[in-house]
Amino acid sequence: MTSEQTTTFDLSASFKAYDVRGIVGESITAEIVEAVGAAFVDVLQLEGQTIVVGGDMRPSSPEFSKAFANGAATRGASVELLDLISTDELYFACGFLNRAGATFTASHNPAEYNGIKMAKAGAVPISSETGLKDIQALAEQYLNSGSIPAAGARGLISVRDVLKDYSEYLRKLVDLSASRPLKVVVDAGNGMAGLTTPAVLGDTLLPKLPFDIVPLYFELDGSFPNHPANPLEPENLRDLQAAVIEHGADIGLAFDGDADRCFVIDEKGEPVSPSAITGMVARREIARAKAQGEETPSIIHNLLTSRAVAELVEHDGGRAVRTRVGHSFIKAVMAKEGAVFGGEHSAHFYFRDFWNADTGMLAAMHVLAALGEQDGPLSELAREYEPYVSSGEINSEVEDKPAAVERVRQAFADEDLTIDNLDGSTFTANDGSYWFNLRPSNTEPFLRLNAEATDRATMERVRDRVLSLVRA
């Protein structure tokens, strides 16, 4: 940074509730990142300690990683550069090494974006309530003064590779060596799963597992030449679905750009809902925790997951804990409850043995283990965990969102149901035939509907009735 300063910096456009995201060259630059690295060290009081810094395959990530490291070193922290990492590799490094850290990624956002996800030692998340606003304010102060003052002693910058440690750690959590042979198509979307999949599920670093991995878009390319690395959008799953059919595969896995989320496709090319994956993994984690002497293991699920999840958890002797949507809520409740596992409808999966952080790869390994230890196809296995019919999330552009919700409340006033307001408004029929949730977006003029029922006709009737009221 130079002392000649003419711009007044305001980073509020790129600092979000849980991370930093912006357009490269505009709201996120090397100069800004250097100041953020310095502020990160100051706010978390890391002078004299070692932090870890990595990034994904976006073209700006290496430059940003070095700029962040330089800012951090100026303020007296030593830095280990992890080079190319998935977001869950950062969480692994922060937990395994007990160090604070940051990674440069914009997850599934388009190519022109980059961002920063930060964590404290032990992979404890940093949000606007737990330091992110303070980091923003101090970074702005450094930028507007034109320089970062040097600490007593400049930190050292070195390089470290954690990919093998990460891969070995995951394999210890889920032993896949005894699985029946499986053909697995993996769509990395040109994102970081192109690096982590061969390391964890293949034989580039560790002994071969009984899997035939069919790679799809494993080339690391932050321009995303094949499709956006966002498997939440159905059109981004089409290549994987076709490849599963073409290769006669047992399962397909789709990861987002930074590989912290994983979507699953069955042998027929049909998506398996994240709620079903939550139930499948919950069953395994409850059994494992009980085998280790835990009496009633807790499982976290957000309020948009299928009610089948809570029913399964209770049936298996666990305790289901319902939370608001959002990874910061899930992680906080995971820690408070000592929960063994948590799942979201958006395909984020959290594990106590992974420092309460989310990892798409570990969830995928649990699904592979569940499939590989029995003889039936994935479609049959998944059916056990999907007894209800879901609408999926439907967005309606609504100017007056409270008025739209009130119209629904009035229209359903005579129904025998219960309404709760944990996150938006959830309407639950007291006979158990359906439920639906209306949640306003905090950032867009959308009202989001999720509905579930015991049969398709009921779900469609409820869905269409609510949408007609919302969009009136």
mmCIF file of all heavy atoms in Angstrom, residues 194-231:
data_model
loop_
_atom_site.group_PDB
_atom_site.id
_atom_site.type_symbol
_atom_site.label_atom_id
_atom_site.label_comp_id
_atom_site.label_asym_id
_atom_site.label_seq_id
_atom_site.Cartn_x
_atom_site.Cartn_y
_atom_site.Cartn_z
ATOM 1 N N GLY A 194 -12.330 -31.116 -8.392
ATOM 2 C CA GLY A 194 -11.425 -31.720 -9.374
ATOM 3 C C GLY A 194 -10.070 -32.052 -8.778
ATOM 4 O O GLY A 194 -9.351 -32.916 -9.291
ATOM 5 N N LEU A 195 -9.708 -31.387 -7.688
ATOM 6 C CA LEU A 195 -8.467 -31.681 -6.978
ATOM 7 C C LEU A 195 -8.700 -32.626 -5.806
ATOM 8 O O LEU A 195 -7.919 -33.559 -5.580
ATOM 9 C CB LEU A 195 -7.851 -30.368 -6.459
ATOM 10 C CG LEU A 195 -6.527 -30.484 -5.712
ATOM 11 C CD1 LEU A 195 -5.401 -30.886 -6.672
ATOM 12 C CD2 LEU A 195 -6.182 -29.165 -5.030
ATOM 13 N N THR A 196 -9.801 -32.413 -5.055
ATOM 14 C CA THR A 196 -10.006 -33.198 -3.837
ATOM 15 C C THR A 196 -10.539 -34.608 -4.114
ATOM 16 O O THR A 196 -10.219 -35.546 -3.383
ATOM 17 C CB THR A 196 -10.955 -32.478 -2.862
ATOM 18 O OG1 THR A 196 -12.211 -32.238 -3.506
ATOM 19 C CG2 THR A 196 -10.365 -31.146 -2.405
ATOM 20 N N THR A 197 -11.346 -34.781 -5.174
ATOM 21 C CA THR A 197 -11.917 -36.114 -5.445
ATOM 22 C C THR A 197 -10.843 -37.163 -5.722
ATOM 23 O O THR A 197 -10.872 -38.250 -5.128
ATOM 24 C CB THR A 197 -12.928 -36.047 -6.598
ATOM 25 O OG1 THR A 197 -13.987 -35.161 -6.237
ATOM 26 C CG2 THR A 197 -13.502 -37.416 -6.908
ATOM 27 N N PRO A 198 -9.870 -36.908 -6.630
ATOM 28 C CA PRO A 198 -8.823 -37.923 -6.848
ATOM 29 C C PRO A 198 -8.014 -38.210 -5.587
ATOM 30 O O PRO A 198 -7.550 -39.333 -5.389
ATOM 31 C CB PRO A 198 -7.945 -37.287 -7.933
ATOM 32 C CG PRO A 198 -8.820 -36.292 -8.624
ATOM 33 C CD PRO A 198 -9.722 -35.754 -7.548
ATOM 34 N N ALA A 199 -7.867 -37.206 -4.724
ATOM 35 C CA ALA A 199 -7.073 -37.397 -3.504
ATOM 36 C C ALA A 199 -7.814 -38.232 -2.466
ATOM 37 O O ALA A 199 -7.226 -39.101 -1.821
ATOM 38 C CB ALA A 199 -6.702 -36.035 -2.911
ATOM 39 N N VAL A 200 -9.134 -37.981 -2.316
ATOM 40 C CA VAL A 200 -9.899 -38.659 -1.264
ATOM 41 C C VAL A 200 -10.486 -39.974 -1.757
ATOM 42 O O VAL A 200 -10.392 -41.010 -1.079
ATOM 43 C CB VAL A 200 -11.022 -37.746 -0.735
ATOM 44 C CG1 VAL A 200 -11.847 -38.477 0.333
ATOM 45 C CG2 VAL A 200 -10.455 -36.448 -0.167
ATOM 46 N N LEU A 201 -11.106 -39.958 -2.932
ATOM 47 C CA LEU A 201 -11.804 -41.141 -3.436
ATOM 48 C C LEU A 201 -10.979 -41.929 -4.444
ATOM 49 O O LEU A 201 -11.290 -43.085 -4.722
ATOM 50 C CB LEU A 201 -13.134 -40.730 -4.085
ATOM 51 C CG LEU A 201 -14.133 -40.001 -3.181
ATOM 52 C CD1 LEU A 201 -15.396 -39.652 -3.956
ATOM 53 C CD2 LEU A 201 -14.473 -40.844 -1.961
ATOM 54 N N GLY A 202 -9.963 -41.308 -5.000
ATOM 55 C CA GLY A 202 -9.109 -41.976 -5.971
ATOM 56 C C GLY A 202 -7.823 -42.483 -5.340
ATOM 57 O O GLY A 202 -7.757 -42.698 -4.128
ATOM 58 N N ASP A 203 -6.787 -42.663 -6.159
ATOM 59 C CA ASP A 203 -5.546 -43.259 -5.654
ATOM 60 C C ASP A 203 -4.324 -42.387 -5.939
ATOM 61 O O ASP A 203 -3.205 -42.887 -6.014
ATOM 62 C CB ASP A 203 -5.346 -44.650 -6.239
ATOM 63 C CG ASP A 203 -5.297 -44.642 -7.773
ATOM 64 O OD1 ASP A 203 -5.427 -43.558 -8.373
ATOM 65 O OD2 ASP A 203 -5.143 -45.733 -8.357
ATOM 66 N N THR A 204 -4.533 -41.063 -6.082
ATOM 67 C CA THR A 204 -3.382 -40.199 -6.356
ATOM 68 C C THR A 204 -2.487 -40.029 -5.130
ATOM 69 O O THR A 204 -1.277 -39.849 -5.266
ATOM 70 C CB THR A 204 -3.839 -38.806 -6.841
ATOM 71 O OG1 THR A 204 -4.697 -38.225 -5.844
ATOM 72 C CG2 THR A 204 -4.579 -38.898 -8.159
ATOM 73 N N LEU A 205 -3.069 -40.094 -3.931
ATOM 74 C CA LEU A 205 -2.285 -39.913 -2.707
ATOM 75 C C LEU A 205 -2.383 -41.103 -1.759
ATOM 76 O O LEU A 205 -1.482 -41.322 -0.952
ATOM 77 C CB LEU A 205 -2.758 -38.660 -1.957
ATOM 78 C CG LEU A 205 -2.527 -37.302 -2.628
ATOM 79 C CD1 LEU A 205 -3.101 -36.188 -1.761
ATOM 80 C CD2 LEU A 205 -1.035 -37.060 -2.867
ATOM 81 N N LEU A 206 -3.492 -41.853 -1.826
ATOM 82 C CA LEU A 206 -3.763 -42.930 -0.874
ATOM 83 C C LEU A 206 -4.105 -44.212 -1.631
ATOM 84 O O LEU A 206 -4.368 -44.177 -2.840
ATOM 85 C CB LEU A 206 -4.932 -42.519 0.039
ATOM 86 C CG LEU A 206 -4.724 -41.242 0.875
ATOM 87 C CD1 LEU A 206 -5.998 -40.880 1.616
ATOM 88 C CD2 LEU A 206 -3.562 -41.412 1.844
ATOM 89 N N PRO A 207 -4.135 -45.363 -0.934
ATOM 90 C CA PRO A 207 -4.448 -46.630 -1.616
ATOM 91 C C PRO A 207 -5.801 -46.592 -2.319
ATOM 92 O O PRO A 207 -6.728 -45.904 -1.877
ATOM 93 C CB PRO A 207 -4.447 -47.649 -0.467
ATOM 94 C CG PRO A 207 -3.571 -47.050 0.573
ATOM 95 C CD PRO A 207 -3.781 -45.570 0.483
ATOM 96 N N LYS A 208 -5.904 -47.353 -3.393
ATOM 97 C CA LYS A 208 -7.123 -47.359 -4.200
ATOM 98 C C LYS A 208 -8.296 -47.937 -3.422
ATOM 99 O O LYS A 208 -8.167 -48.922 -2.707
ATOM 100 C CB LYS A 208 -6.890 -48.167 -5.477
ATOM 101 C CG LYS A 208 -8.100 -48.187 -6.410
ATOM 102 C CD LYS A 208 -7.760 -48.780 -7.772
ATOM 103 C CE LYS A 208 -8.999 -48.921 -8.643
ATOM 104 N NZ LYS A 208 -9.790 -47.665 -8.780
ATOM 105 N N LEU A 209 -9.453 -47.313 -3.593
ATOM 106 C CA LEU A 209 -10.714 -47.809 -3.039
ATOM 107 C C LEU A 209 -11.452 -48.595 -4.125
ATOM 108 O O LEU A 209 -11.114 -48.490 -5.310
ATOM 109 C CB LEU A 209 -11.568 -46.627 -2.568
ATOM 110 C CG LEU A 209 -11.008 -45.827 -1.384
ATOM 111 C CD1 LEU A 209 -11.803 -44.537 -1.174
ATOM 112 C CD2 LEU A 209 -11.017 -46.672 -0.114
ATOM 113 N N PRO A 210 -12.493 -49.372 -3.760
ATOM 114 C CA PRO A 210 -13.195 -50.186 -4.765
ATOM 115 C C PRO A 210 -14.166 -49.374 -5.617
ATOM 116 O O PRO A 210 -15.310 -49.751 -5.832
ATOM 117 C CB PRO A 210 -13.923 -51.230 -3.905
ATOM 118 C CG PRO A 210 -14.094 -50.591 -2.585
ATOM 119 C CD PRO A 210 -12.935 -49.681 -2.388
ATOM 120 N N PHE A 211 -13.701 -48.222 -6.109
ATOM 121 C CA PHE A 211 -14.542 -47.352 -6.914
ATOM 122 C C PHE A 211 -13.924 -47.124 -8.289
ATOM 123 O O PHE A 211 -12.713 -46.955 -8.416
ATOM 124 C CB PHE A 211 -14.729 -45.981 -6.237
ATOM 125 C CG PHE A 211 -15.316 -46.033 -4.860
ATOM 126 C CD1 PHE A 211 -14.874 -45.182 -3.868
ATOM 127 C CD2 PHE A 211 -16.318 -46.942 -4.543
ATOM 128 C CE1 PHE A 211 -15.405 -45.219 -2.593
ATOM 129 C CE2 PHE A 211 -16.860 -47.000 -3.270
ATOM 130 C CZ PHE A 211 -16.394 -46.137 -2.285
ATOM 131 N N ASP A 212 -14.790 -47.104 -9.283
ATOM 132 C CA ASP A 212 -14.392 -46.683 -10.624
ATOM 133 C C ASP A 212 -14.904 -45.256 -10.787
ATOM 134 O O ASP A 212 -16.106 -45.043 -10.957
ATOM 135 C CB ASP A 212 -15.020 -47.623 -11.660
ATOM 136 C CG ASP A 212 -14.725 -47.188 -13.088
ATOM 137 O OD1 ASP A 212 -13.914 -46.266 -13.287
ATOM 138 O OD2 ASP A 212 -15.341 -47.769 -14.015
ATOM 139 N N ILE A 213 -14.002 -44.276 -10.662
ATOM 140 C CA ILE A 213 -14.395 -42.870 -10.715
ATOM 141 C C ILE A 213 -14.409 -42.398 -12.166
ATOM 142 O O ILE A 213 -13.414 -42.512 -12.882
ATOM 143 C CB ILE A 213 -13.425 -41.984 -9.906
ATOM 144 C CG1 ILE A 213 -13.323 -42.470 -8.456
ATOM 145 C CG2 ILE A 213 -13.851 -40.516 -9.980
ATOM 146 C CD1 ILE A 213 -14.548 -42.263 -7.623
ATOM 147 N N VAL A 214 -15.554 -41.897 -12.607
ATOM 148 C CA VAL A 214 -15.677 -41.312 -13.951
ATOM 149 C C VAL A 214 -15.672 -39.793 -13.772
ATOM 150 O O VAL A 214 -16.623 -39.209 -13.237
ATOM 151 C CB VAL A 214 -16.980 -41.756 -14.640
ATOM 152 C CG1 VAL A 214 -17.098 -41.128 -16.018
ATOM 153 C CG2 VAL A 214 -17.059 -43.284 -14.722
ATOM 154 N N PRO A 215 -14.585 -39.113 -14.206
ATOM 155 C CA PRO A 215 -14.482 -37.675 -13.948
ATOM 156 C C PRO A 215 -15.236 -36.832 -14.984
ATOM 157 O O PRO A 215 -15.212 -37.122 -16.175
ATOM 158 C CB PRO A 215 -12.975 -37.413 -14.043
ATOM 159 C CG PRO A 215 -12.472 -38.472 -14.974
ATOM 160 C CD PRO A 215 -13.370 -39.667 -14.821
ATOM 161 N N LEU A 216 -15.894 -35.807 -14.499
ATOM 162 C CA LEU A 216 -16.591 -34.852 -15.359
ATOM 163 C C LEU A 216 -16.137 -33.453 -14.950
ATOM 164 O O LEU A 216 -16.353 -33.038 -13.808
ATOM 165 C CB LEU A 216 -18.104 -35.010 -15.164
ATOM 166 C CG LEU A 216 -19.051 -34.643 -16.308
ATOM 167 C CD1 LEU A 216 -18.735 -35.410 -17.563
ATOM 168 C CD2 LEU A 216 -20.494 -34.881 -15.871
ATOM 169 N N TYR A 217 -15.473 -32.766 -15.840
ATOM 170 C CA TYR A 217 -15.029 -31.381 -15.620
ATOM 171 C C TYR A 217 -14.132 -31.257 -14.395
ATOM 172 O O TYR A 217 -14.360 -30.435 -13.512
ATOM 173 C CB TYR A 217 -16.231 -30.438 -15.507
ATOM 174 C CG TYR A 217 -17.263 -30.638 -16.598
ATOM 175 C CD1 TYR A 217 -18.625 -30.599 -16.319
ATOM 176 C CD2 TYR A 217 -16.871 -30.881 -17.919
ATOM 177 C CE1 TYR A 217 -19.568 -30.793 -17.318
ATOM 178 C CE2 TYR A 217 -17.808 -31.084 -18.931
ATOM 179 C CZ TYR A 217 -19.152 -31.036 -18.619
ATOM 180 O OH TYR A 217 -20.095 -31.237 -19.611
ATOM 181 N N PHE A 218 -13.077 -32.089 -14.371
ATOM 182 C CA PHE A 218 -12.111 -32.040 -13.271
ATOM 183 C C PHE A 218 -11.039 -30.962 -13.483
ATOM 184 O O PHE A 218 -10.281 -30.668 -12.566
ATOM 185 C CB PHE A 218 -11.419 -33.402 -13.102
ATOM 186 C CG PHE A 218 -12.165 -34.348 -12.191
ATOM 187 C CD1 PHE A 218 -13.550 -34.326 -12.110
ATOM 188 C CD2 PHE A 218 -11.479 -35.278 -11.423
ATOM 189 C CE1 PHE A 218 -14.233 -35.206 -11.279
ATOM 190 C CE2 PHE A 218 -12.150 -36.158 -10.584
ATOM 191 C CZ PHE A 218 -13.529 -36.119 -10.503
ATOM 192 N N GLU A 219 -10.949 -30.380 -14.691
ATOM 193 C CA GLU A 219 -9.933 -29.371 -14.958
ATOM 194 C C GLU A 219 -10.266 -28.110 -14.150
ATOM 195 O O GLU A 219 -11.361 -27.566 -14.278
ATOM 196 C CB GLU A 219 -9.892 -29.020 -16.455
ATOM 197 C CG GLU A 219 -9.719 -30.219 -17.382
ATOM 198 C CD GLU A 219 -10.994 -31.040 -17.565
ATOM 199 O OE1 GLU A 219 -12.107 -30.490 -17.362
ATOM 200 O OE2 GLU A 219 -10.877 -32.237 -17.905
ATOM 201 N N LEU A 220 -9.317 -27.664 -13.339
ATOM 202 C CA LEU A 220 -9.554 -26.476 -12.517
ATOM 203 C C LEU A 220 -9.590 -25.247 -13.425
ATOM 204 O O LEU A 220 -8.596 -24.906 -14.062
ATOM 205 C CB LEU A 220 -8.452 -26.326 -11.467
ATOM 206 C CG LEU A 220 -8.276 -27.493 -10.492
ATOM 207 C CD1 LEU A 220 -7.197 -27.184 -9.472
ATOM 208 C CD2 LEU A 220 -9.578 -27.837 -9.794
ATOM 209 N N ASP A 221 -10.731 -24.602 -13.487
ATOM 210 C CA ASP A 221 -10.897 -23.469 -14.413
ATOM 211 C C ASP A 221 -11.944 -22.512 -13.849
ATOM 212 O O ASP A 221 -13.150 -22.777 -13.899
ATOM 213 C CB ASP A 221 -11.325 -23.972 -15.799
ATOM 214 C CG ASP A 221 -11.313 -22.867 -16.850
ATOM 215 O OD1 ASP A 221 -11.399 -21.682 -16.469
ATOM 216 O OD2 ASP A 221 -11.235 -23.191 -18.051
ATOM 217 N N GLY A 222 -11.464 -21.408 -13.303
ATOM 218 C CA GLY A 222 -12.346 -20.437 -12.672
ATOM 219 C C GLY A 222 -13.228 -19.658 -13.621
ATOM 220 O O GLY A 222 -14.047 -18.841 -13.176
ATOM 221 N N SER A 223 -13.102 -19.922 -14.937
ATOM 222 C CA SER A 223 -14.036 -19.293 -15.891
ATOM 223 C C SER A 223 -15.278 -20.162 -16.097
ATOM 224 O O SER A 223 -16.203 -19.753 -16.797
ATOM 225 C CB SER A 223 -13.337 -19.035 -17.234
ATOM 226 O OG SER A 223 -13.071 -20.259 -17.910
ATOM 227 N N PHE A 224 -15.288 -21.359 -15.519
ATOM 228 C CA PHE A 224 -16.427 -22.288 -15.576
ATOM 229 C C PHE A 224 -16.938 -22.467 -17.014
ATOM 230 O O PHE A 224 -18.059 -22.080 -17.347
ATOM 231 C CB PHE A 224 -17.565 -21.820 -14.658
ATOM 232 C CG PHE A 224 -17.132 -21.582 -13.244
ATOM 233 C CD1 PHE A 224 -17.129 -20.308 -12.710
ATOM 234 C CD2 PHE A 224 -16.690 -22.632 -12.452
ATOM 235 C CE1 PHE A 224 -16.709 -20.082 -11.402
ATOM 236 C CE2 PHE A 224 -16.258 -22.419 -11.145
ATOM 237 C CZ PHE A 224 -16.268 -21.140 -10.625
ATOM 238 N N PRO A 225 -16.108 -23.085 -17.875
ATOM 239 C CA PRO A 225 -16.452 -23.158 -19.300
ATOM 240 C C PRO A 225 -17.598 -24.110 -19.633
ATOM 241 O O PRO A 225 -18.169 -24.021 -20.722
ATOM 242 C CB PRO A 225 -15.151 -23.654 -19.946
ATOM 243 C CG PRO A 225 -14.453 -24.409 -18.840
ATOM 244 C CD PRO A 225 -14.803 -23.678 -17.583
ATOM 245 N N ASN A 226 -17.963 -25.018 -18.726
ATOM 246 C CA ASN A 226 -18.970 -26.026 -19.060
ATOM 247 C C ASN A 226 -20.358 -25.695 -18.510
ATOM 248 O O ASN A 226 -21.344 -25.781 -19.229
ATOM 249 C CB ASN A 226 -18.507 -27.402 -18.562
ATOM 250 C CG ASN A 226 -17.267 -27.860 -19.303
ATOM 251 O OD1 ASN A 226 -17.332 -28.166 -20.484
ATOM 252 N ND2 ASN A 226 -16.128 -27.856 -18.628
ATOM 253 N N HIS A 227 -20.424 -25.351 -17.241
ATOM 254 C CA HIS A 227 -21.677 -24.875 -16.654
ATOM 255 C C HIS A 227 -21.340 -24.222 -15.327
ATOM 256 O O HIS A 227 -20.284 -24.497 -14.741
ATOM 257 C CB HIS A 227 -22.694 -26.017 -16.460
ATOM 258 C CG HIS A 227 -22.247 -27.115 -15.548
ATOM 259 N ND1 HIS A 227 -22.110 -26.950 -14.177
ATOM 260 C CD2 HIS A 227 -21.886 -28.403 -15.791
ATOM 261 C CE1 HIS A 227 -21.703 -28.087 -13.629
ATOM 262 N NE2 HIS A 227 -21.549 -28.983 -14.579
ATOM 263 N N PRO A 228 -22.202 -23.351 -14.802
ATOM 264 C CA PRO A 228 -21.936 -22.758 -13.488
ATOM 265 C C PRO A 228 -21.783 -23.849 -12.436
ATOM 266 O O PRO A 228 -22.475 -24.868 -12.473
ATOM 267 C CB PRO A 228 -23.179 -21.899 -13.222
ATOM 268 C CG PRO A 228 -23.730 -21.598 -14.586
ATOM 269 C CD PRO A 228 -23.441 -22.817 -15.414
ATOM 270 N N ALA A 229 -20.872 -23.604 -11.477
ATOM 271 C CA ALA A 229 -20.606 -24.618 -10.442
ATOM 272 C C ALA A 229 -21.597 -24.461 -9.294
ATOM 273 O O ALA A 229 -21.222 -24.284 -8.139
ATOM 274 C CB ALA A 229 -19.167 -24.490 -9.954
ATOM 275 N N ASN A 230 -22.881 -24.543 -9.657
ATOM 276 C CA ASN A 230 -23.953 -24.399 -8.671
ATOM 277 C C ASN A 230 -24.973 -25.510 -8.872
ATOM 278 O O ASN A 230 -25.949 -25.354 -9.617
ATOM 279 C CB ASN A 230 -24.627 -23.035 -8.803
ATOM 280 C CG ASN A 230 -25.737 -22.844 -7.770
ATOM 281 O OD1 ASN A 230 -25.850 -23.621 -6.819
ATOM 282 N ND2 ASN A 230 -26.563 -21.839 -7.960
ATOM 283 N N PRO A 231 -24.777 -26.652 -8.226
ATOM 284 C CA PRO A 231 -25.675 -27.797 -8.436
ATOM 285 C C PRO A 231 -27.069 -27.615 -7.850
ATOM 286 O O PRO A 231 -27.930 -28.468 -8.042
ATOM 287 C CB PRO A 231 -24.931 -28.959 -7.771
ATOM 288 C CG PRO A 231 -24.007 -28.315 -6.792
ATOM 289 C CD PRO A 231 -23.651 -26.972 -7.332
#
